[in-house]
Amino acid sequence: MRIRRILAAVIATAALAGLGLTGAATATAQGAASYVTPSECKQGGGMPDLADNLCKGGMHDGQRVD
């Protein structure tokens, strides 16, 4: 009986820890700014368009240039 309670507590703790890590990762991904520097845009294969403040082409296509 005691082993069952300990096992249940371990499983519950692991489940809650997993939810906490997942929530933190999601919040970071959603809150990340989509700004790149002109040099990052060029390194990613794009061309910074400073008139529109956008990176055109490459890995950072469509991201704002700051």
Side-chain angles (χ1 to χ4, degrees):
M1 192 70 157
R2 184 175 180 175
I3 293 174
R4 284 186 189 171
R5 279 188 263 156
I6 292 172
L7 185 59
V10 169
I11 291 172
T13 303
L16 290 175
L19 288 175
L21 293 175
T22 304
T26 303
T28 303
Q30 289 176 351
S34 60
Y35 289 98
V36 294
T37 64
S39 62
E40 287 174 332
C41 179
K42 288 179 186 176
Q43 288 173 357
M47 193 69 173
D49 182 1
L50 299 180
D52 293 333
N53 285 340
L54 291 175
C55 181
K56 300 210 174 170
M59 187 171 69
H60 302 290
D61 188 37
Q63 290 184 338
R64 299 197 62 78
V65 175
D66 185 25

